[in-house]
Amino acid sequence: MSEIYENLLTITKYELLGKLPDPFVFDDGHRVETEKDWAERRKEIYKSAVELQYGTIPPSPESVEVEPLYLGAVGKPSGYKVTVRANGKSLSFKMVLFRARSLKAPAVISGDLCFQYAYDKEYIETFTNSDINLVLFDRTEIAPDIAPYNLKNLGTEETFEYARGKEIFDGLDKGCCGGPLKEMFPDYTFGAVGAWAWGYSVCVDALTVLGNVDTDFIVFTGHSRGGKAAALAGAIDERAKIVNPNASCAGGYGSYRIKIEAVAENGKKSISEPISNIFKVFPSWMGQELRPYIDREAELPFDAHYLKALVAPRILFVSEAAGDIWANPVGSYQTTEAAAEVYKFLGCEENLIWYFRRGEHYQKIEDIAQLVNIINHVRGGEELNDKFFKLPFKKLEKAYDWTCPEKK
């Protein structure tokens, strides 16, 4: 029997700071009419949804080398050292592949090797038992995930030494993204999320070098801050066939213009994450051009539906938790609804899939099972189960007043 999602989230305050902007309107005011027009408009959207939000993203490295560290059996980890070179410098990070049964099977890439669930047996086997490769890398080896408040809370001189000195602390406080990628590309303005997204693309390069997965069936996923990175990676790297950010919050698939206060099924009250929180708590995550829009969200030339639209016509799977109020499930749904207009214009509405589960902020096995269902649907015709497309709160009026153009 299907699970009916009704009133898992009670919205107690809803604030729309301005209608979601029309992605079909060029910067000079004329409107998209053809798919060729959309290809040009997409370049403008990139300038705002990517470069304004995350900073400028560095190019592909000049070379990618992959060195096996250890090789495991089917379903077991194989470790690789990935080394990239550019501008006379190099950086290395570890990539772990949990191998599927078949050669050239699909590969799911996640940068969340730094998260505790990454080595969870059930998490891994949900992929490998379905003959899907799981590829994990630690994004923090590319750019650190250290925040000023982390250091202040620990509050010792040893903490500053651990963070490579007071200068690094001061840089983080000002929003500087440190780490080896910044040293390699100092003239680019990316924050940590941009660096992490770049790591997804390098993993695709590394898998191409190895030649043991189906590089025509690549999937990007990640949770929370890792979801932000997966969202950005999916927008900028069209080699991802399926893009699945999970609970990516503000700066991901939530919404800047839509703010909520709500009560979850368990009685917990919360608000959605404001843009100000990102720069207060993790100032090095985003591009610094976004900072002036704190408390001026309605003036942003984009919102999360632009980032989602950059995935079209590829498959976008937006997964959220009904009780994850901080991640703004309402804003996520409404920007997904707006992005659907782009999918409709391109004639691929079936490629935009969304899902809410009960519970709070985590990437659970249940979420992974839904992603696996989509992969099996695409590669083998397995039917989508009945947990998709169920709204856990009362539907609100659309947050936009435009529709897709009639294609010429």
Side-chain angles (χ1 to χ4, degrees), residues 235-397:
I236 63 180
D237 193 333
E238 296 185 21
R239 293 175 297 177
K241 190 182 189 75
I242 300 174
V243 180
N244 170 225
N246 185 77
S248 54
C249 305
Y253 277 0
S255 172
Y256 292 122
R257 284 173 172 78
I258 297 167
K259 297 185 176 183
I260 65 165
E261 294 180 7
V263 181
E265 183 184 21
N266 62 3
K268 183 177 179 180
K269 301 176 183 179
S270 185
I271 63 170
S272 55
E273 182 181 21
I275 187 175
S276 58
N277 185 73
I278 298 174
F279 288 99
K280 178 181 178 182
V281 182
F282 286 100
S284 65
W285 276 1
M286 310 297 285
Q288 294 307 301
E289 286 188 35
L290 185 64
R291 187 188 288 268
Y293 288 95
I294 294 173
D295 298 325
R296 294 173 49 218
E297 291 90 344
E299 299 175 37
L300 278 166
F302 72 97
D303 212 307
H305 61 305
Y306 278 30
L307 189 63
K308 295 172 180 178
L310 288 175
V311 178
R314 292 168 293 136
I315 298 165
L316 174 60
F317 173 37
V318 183
S319 54
E320 306 278 357
D324 190 4
I325 300 168
W326 189 248
N328 200 351
V330 176
S332 177
Y333 171 73
Q334 288 183 292
T335 53
T336 296
E337 194 173 38
E341 295 288 341
V342 174
Y343 276 79
K344 180 179 179 181
F345 176 75
L346 296 176
C348 55
E349 292 174 85
E350 71 282 359
N351 286 350
L352 180 51
I353 303 169
W354 54 269
Y355 149 87
F356 289 93
R357 62 158 169 79
R358 296 178 183 272
E360 299 185 52
H361 193 65
Y362 204 76
Q363 190 170 29
K364 292 191 172 184
I365 301 303
E366 181 181 344
D367 304 323
I368 299 302
Q370 294 301 107
L371 175 57
V372 168
N373 183 203
I374 293 172
I375 294 170
N376 289 335
H377 171 73
V378 174
R379 70 170 171 177
E382 178 178 296
E383 288 190 16
L384 294 180
N385 63 48
D386 60 4
K387 292 184 178 181
F388 296 104
F389 309 118
K390 295 185 184 296
L391 203 59
F393 48 82
K394 291 183 179 178
K395 193 170 184 177
L396 298 162
E397 182 180 350

Side-chain angles (χ1 to χ4, degrees), residues 58-245:
S60 298
E62 295 162 9
S63 66
V64 178
E65 301 164 11
V66 186
E67 177 187 351
L69 300 176
Y70 54 90
L71 299 176
V74 170
K76 303 300 181 183
S78 294
Y80 300 91
K81 179 182 178 182
V82 179
T83 300
V84 299
R85 304 184 193 280
N87 296 329
K89 296 185 178 181
S90 66
L91 71 84
S92 299
F93 63 89
K94 184 178 179 181
M95 183 180 76
V96 179
L97 168 64
F98 291 90
R99 190 160 60 84
R101 295 187 305 276
S102 303
L103 189 65
K104 301 290 186 178
V108 175
I109 302 175
S110 171
D112 289 348
L113 186 57
C114 48
F115 280 168
Q116 131 183 11
Y117 67 79
Y119 273 102
D120 179 83
K121 186 173 185 289
E122 189 177 3
Y123 171 81
I124 296 162
E125 289 182 348
T126 303
F127 291 112
T128 57
N129 287 349
S130 291
D131 201 23
I132 299 167
N133 293 289
L134 174 61
V135 179
L136 296 167
F137 72 100
D138 184 346
R139 49 190 155 75
T140 66
E141 292 185 87
I142 299 170
D145 195 12
I146 302 170
Y149 95 102
N150 290 140
L151 306 182
K152 288 174 182 174
N153 285 347
L154 292 173
T156 66
E157 290 303 317
E158 289 79 7
T159 299
F160 295 113
E161 184 179 351
Y162 178 74
R164 294 193 296 157
K166 185 69 164 61
E167 293 79 9
I168 295 296
F169 176 84
D170 289 340
L172 287 167
D173 209 25
K174 294 180 178 68
C176 175
C177 169
L181 187 63
K182 180 60 74 173
E183 293 170 8
M184 182 178 285
F185 294 103
D187 297 332
Y188 287 78
T189 61
F190 59 90
V193 174
W196 301 337
W198 184 87
Y200 278 79
S201 293
V202 172
C203 283
V204 179
D205 296 337
L207 293 172
T208 301
V209 171
L210 288 174
N212 57 358
V213 308
D214 183 357
T215 51
D216 290 326
F217 205 132
I218 295 292
V219 181
F220 290 166
T221 193
H223 170 66
S224 194
R225 65 197 67 181
K228 290 177 176 60
L232 175 56
I236 63 180
D237 193 333
E238 296 185 21
R239 293 175 297 177
K241 190 182 189 75
I242 300 174
V243 180
N244 170 225

